[in-house]
Amino acid sequence: MYQIMKAEKLADKIFLMDVHAPRVAQHCEPGQFVIVKLDEKGERIPLTICDYDREAGTITIVVQEVGASTTKMGSLKEGDYFRDFTGPLGCPSEFVHEDIETLKNKKMLFVAGGVGAAPVYPQVKWLKEHGIDVDVIVGSKTKDMLILEDEMKAVAGNYYPCTDDGTYGHAGMVTTMVEELVNEGKKYDVCIAIGPMIMMKFVCLLTKKLGIPTIVSMNPIMVDGTGMCGACRLQVGDEIKFACVDGPEFDGHLVDFDQAMKRSQMYKTEEGRAMLKLQEGDTHHGGCGHCGGDE
Amino acid sequence: MADMLKKVPVREQDPKVRATNFDEVCLGYNLEEAMDEAARCLNCRNAKCIQGCPVAIDIPAFIHEVKEGNIEEAYKVIGKSSALPAICGRVCPQESQCEGKCIRGIKGEPVSIGKLERFVADYALENDIKPVGAETQNGHKVAVIGSGPSGLTCAGDLAKKGYAVTVFEALHELGGVLVYGIPEFRLPKQKVVAKEIEKVKELGVKFETNVVIGKSTMIDQLMEEEGFEAVFIGSGAGLPMFMGIPGENSNGVFSANEYLTRSNLMKAFDDSYDTPIIAGKKVAVVGGGNVAMDAARTALRLGADVHVIYRRSEAELPARVEEVHHAKEEGVVFNLLTNPKKINVDENGNISSVTVIKMELGEPDASGRRRPVEIPGSEYDIQVDTVIMALGTSPNPLISSTTKGLETNRRKCIVADEENGQTSKEGVFAGGDAVTGAATVILAMGAGKAGAKGIDEYLSGREG
């Protein structure tokens, strides 16, 4: 059992938790993820590591309520437990292994969309700790949905918030912001984009045009997260890769996003049913013969 | 008295009924049936059956106790050689092991050794008969990586010798392939696997789940920082293979590992669990091993029409005879001498069919099996909505790539001595599928035993 040491609501349906998992905290690096399982009957869900404290033995995760399992997780309080918490999984971000002096000469741009700010944060923080300043664009639908702003400001060289509805920062999508910075004369050697697949796809289309090598962190469906099933497989260039062991970070210009997005929709109906059952509780009638119910 | 030439028949669920549930197919012997079957044993002086058993259980001795009705004594005899009899009695391919060597088998049917072992073990589980552990601890710490059959056997044997053993498991449940791979209807999880592992715990073995060696910690750190003097790697061969044919990444194409993990480990077949599974209405399972049979029979129980597509003929099917027989009884259709060429998808991205080609058997290849050859122009489509690939697995490179000085061969298997499990790295032993590639439960147990013996010799040698 893995205890929740801190639980905090960051925005509507977005929650941050510090979880006590010393083995994970001891070995994790930016870019890696964990698999969590809430209780006996729960499913295994991958979540990117948002921060870690090796001394305290804790891992910070950010959960957005998007389905039945994450909604249950959203109701967890400080002192509650996850039954299972496995990691760190996947490969660390490439720059962790690079020479610091080489890195210092690189101009890096991070682009985060929505809760993608959570996995971007430990990378930017790691770079800051190694004396490297990077530009960070964070996009969200609206001002109230923007998360980890103070934290990000503290570690980013330049911080550019954007909102789709223009309620805060620059008005418009993250891609508009990327174009704007490049038009201002900024040059980037690498772009790291993390967020919903559709956002990563459009960032990649743009950066390909602009000639900026781009790394994305893929978030396909996973089960075990250790390479034993291939649920998370992706077409990357002419190879099939398992995101859980070969990634989750890949060359964004080689990823087949359309296929990846299609695969993400595979369980849509099952997910919808699970959500309905949770919302309607005991009043959930199921199987009336008209709606498809539970069967 | 029963017919001495034939096995006492074992009770099974009716095929029509069991095809709709996940309960165990084979119901096993009762005491009377077991004693009757035991009476068929000739109690050979130079028993060939023992040679056929990879862990060399004293078969005539335990069967003699069954014949007399001394089931607890019989359990003790088996316990000297095997830590997981309730499992092995169920899943061993006895026809090619112990029973394949039984003298009774020359003129009639061999003694039903597997079913008798299972009866004894189930009796011990039901009556809570404790295994015999070590009287004193020897103070040595050993780490076992993986809680599958080889790791459990190695841990059990070392604990019986007085070692302080900790087993590290990557998944959230213990048992390896016994929990995620072999389905409930062949091997009940709560009634058998969990209880059998409980017996290993009673021997003093500690277990830590959710630890991925190579990620959560490394073997070098276990030895240098956590005080483990020896390590046994029993991490198995869990990496699934795909065919590399067009359409293989379509929605509805699964590895058998994924399909079975969802159903067995995550209990997706049970609505009260959160993990979903796409059952499919018409399912093609590609492959002919036990994993293919398990996937096919699982899909069938989830309500699908199921085709097994296998490129050789029935005689070459690597699956256990009993499982093929059960699958046929339950209504699985076999498309033999057939191989998939591509998976076809409709405009919504769903599978519409699989294009297959007919095969014929050519000259024997290096392995001695006749090589399947395509018959040109014989392609045709089978209408399916789900495809499950059960083509075999290979060892996960996670451990070998993160452990200094651990030699692997070109199939990514860890190189280890067959007699004692010693690897190229001092203090590190290995066995089971991690060394051999995908094989059987009992061979993995045999390797776990050899590893325990090797570790015992290594550590007791160091004392002097």
Side-chain angles (χ1 to χ4, degrees), chain A residues 2 23-24 26-28 32 37 39-44 69 72 83-92 221-224 226-235 240 242 244-245 259 262-267 270-271 274 277 294-295, chain B residues 168 170-173 180 190 208-212 215-218 221-222 225-226 228 238-240 242 244 248-255 257-259 261-262 265-266 270-279 347-349 393 396 398:
Chain A
Y2 303 81
R23 280 200 192 274
V24 189
Q26 191 59 43
H27 292 277
C28 67
Q32 293 188 291
K37 183 167 167 287
D39 53 24
E40 179 66 32
K41 297 192 169 182
E43 56 183 333
R44 293 167 67 96
S69 292
K72 275 190 231 164
R83 186 185 186 276
D84 300 287
F85 195 95
T86 313
L89 299 170
C91 299
I221 292 172
M222 287 188 189
V223 184
D224 64 288
T226 62
M228 63 173 254
C229 86
C232 65
R233 64 193 189 274
L234 301 165
Q235 188 77 40
I240 291 177
F242 288 6
C244 72
V245 287
Q259 186 189 75
K262 222 173 242 171
R263 285 185 62 81
S264 292
Q265 302 294 315
M266 213 185 307
Y267 290 93
E270 278 78 2
E271 263 175 36
K277 200 167 161 184
D294 279 332
E295 298 308 316
Chain B
F168 296 95
L171 290 171
H172 59 271
E173 296 284 351
Y180 77 74
Q190 287 309 315
E208 227 188 291
T209 51
N210 297 321
V211 180
V212 185
K215 291 285 179 191
S216 311
T217 191
M218 317 297 152
Q221 277 163 319
L222 288 178
E225 292 166 21
E226 297 196 29
F228 290 101
L239 205 69
F242 287 93
E248 215 170 7
N249 284 355
S250 317
N251 291 359
V253 183
F254 303 93
S255 73
N257 266 12
E258 179 185 350
Y259 201 78
T261 298
R262 284 180 184 276
L265 178 70
M266 307 310 296
D270 180 339
D271 256 358
S272 70
Y273 285 76
D274 293 342
T275 302
I277 193 164
I278 292 177
E347 65 275 13
N348 298 320
T393 52
N396 192 321
L398 205 54

Side-chain angles (χ1 to χ4, degrees), chain A residues 191-246:
Chain A
C191 168
I192 293 145
I194 308 180
M197 279 201 209
I198 186 79
M199 165 250 164
M200 294 193 284
K201 175 186 168 174
F202 280 101
V203 170
C204 285
L205 287 173
L206 174 68
T207 56
K208 195 161 188 181
K209 208 169 66 187
L210 298 171
I212 308 170
T214 300
I215 293 166
V216 293
S217 178
M218 296 302 286
N219 43 5
I221 292 172
M222 287 188 189
V223 184
D224 64 288
T226 62
M228 63 173 254
C229 86
C232 65
R233 64 193 189 274
L234 301 165
Q235 188 77 40
V236 182
D238 49 16
E239 287 179 283
I240 291 177
K241 298 278 190 189
F242 288 6
C244 72
V245 287
D246 301 319

Side-chain angles (χ1 to χ4, degrees), chain A:
Chain A
M1 301 285 267
Y2 303 81
Q3 193 171 20
I4 297 168
M5 311 307 285
K6 186 178 104 178
E8 188 188 330
K9 186 171 182 175
L10 297 182
D12 185 34
K13 297 188 177 196
I14 303 179
F15 300 87
L16 175 146
M17 292 170 208
D18 286 351
V19 182
H20 190 245
R23 280 200 192 274
V24 189
Q26 191 59 43
H27 292 277
C28 67
E29 301 281 3
Q32 293 188 291
F33 66 94
V34 290
I35 294 247
V36 301
K37 183 167 167 287
L38 183 59
D39 53 24
E40 179 66 32
K41 297 192 169 182
E43 56 183 333
R44 293 167 67 96
I45 294 188
L47 293 168
T48 318
I49 293 167
C50 170
D51 203 355
Y52 49 90
D53 184 334
R54 301 212 201 278
E55 298 266 296
T58 56
I59 294 288
T60 306
I61 51 172
V62 171
V63 183
Q64 182 172 29
E65 290 181 0
V66 291
S69 292
T70 45
T71 302
K72 275 190 231 164
M73 281 180 199
S75 67
L76 292 175
K77 305 269 175 301
E78 184 181 315
D80 288 346
Y81 293 87
F82 282 100
R83 186 185 186 276
D84 300 287
F85 195 95
T86 313
L89 299 170
C91 299
S93 302
E94 228 173 79
F95 62 73
V96 170
H97 304 296
E98 274 182 69
D99 176 56
I100 295 297
E101 292 312 310
T102 321
L103 273 180
K104 279 183 177 162
N105 292 323
K106 265 192 186 172
K107 279 272 165 222
M108 298 171 86
L109 172 67
F110 281 84
V111 183
V115 281
V120 161
Y121 174 67
Q123 305 200 15
V124 177
K125 184 182 170 191
W126 188 96
L127 288 161
K128 175 77 178 174
E129 282 167 359
H130 289 80
I132 298 157
D133 280 339
V134 299
D135 287 0
V136 181
I137 299 172
V138 181
S140 82
K141 283 201 177 84
T142 179
K143 181 171 189 269
D144 295 340
M145 297 292 285
L146 205 62
I147 59 164
L148 300 170
E149 198 179 19
D150 294 338
E151 288 84 350
M152 201 70 93
K153 272 183 188 164
V155 293
N158 296 300
Y159 172 72
Y160 306 99
C162 328
T163 48
D164 293 357
D165 63 359
T167 43
Y168 183 69
H170 292 258
M173 310 265 213
V174 287
T175 39
T176 341
M177 192 66 226
V178 175
E179 269 187 308
E180 211 168 292
L181 291 176
V182 171
N183 290 340
E184 277 173 22
K186 293 228 184 197
K187 297 229 181 304
Y188 295 106
D189 298 304
V190 61
C191 168
I192 293 145
I194 308 180
M197 279 201 209
I198 186 79
M199 165 250 164
M200 294 193 284
K201 175 186 168 174
F202 280 101
V203 170
C204 285
L205 287 173
L206 174 68
T207 56
K208 195 161 188 181
K209 208 169 66 187
L210 298 171
I212 308 170
T214 300
I215 293 166
V216 293
S217 178
M218 296 302 286
N219 43 5
I221 292 172
M222 287 188 189
V223 184
D224 64 288
T226 62
M228 63 173 254
C229 86
C232 65
R233 64 193 189 274
L234 301 165
Q235 188 77 40
V236 182
D238 49 16
E239 287 179 283
I240 291 177
K241 298 278 190 189
F242 288 6
C244 72
V245 287
D246 301 319
E249 296 189 5
F250 294 100
D251 179 342
H253 294 160
L254 294 178
V255 170
D256 183 340
F257 281 103
D258 293 339
Q259 186 189 75
M261 284 189 277
K262 222 173 242 171
R263 285 185 62 81
S264 292
Q265 302 294 315
M266 213 185 307
Y267 290 93
K268 209 136 202 232
T269 336
E270 278 78 2
E271 263 175 36
R273 280 183 202 146
M275 192 67 201
L276 209 62
K277 200 167 161 184
L278 186 75
Q279 284 166 349
E280 298 183 353
D282 292 339
T283 64
H284 181 61
H285 63 294
C288 67
H290 298 292
C291 65
D294 279 332
E295 298 308 316

Side-chain angles (χ1 to χ4, degrees), chain B residues 364-384:
Chain B
D365 61 13
S367 73
R369 289 199 299 180
R370 293 177 66 191
R371 204 165 54 87
V373 185
E374 290 183 357
I375 301 173
S378 65
E379 288 95 342
Y380 68 103
D381 289 358
I382 303 177
Q383 311 299 319
V384 292

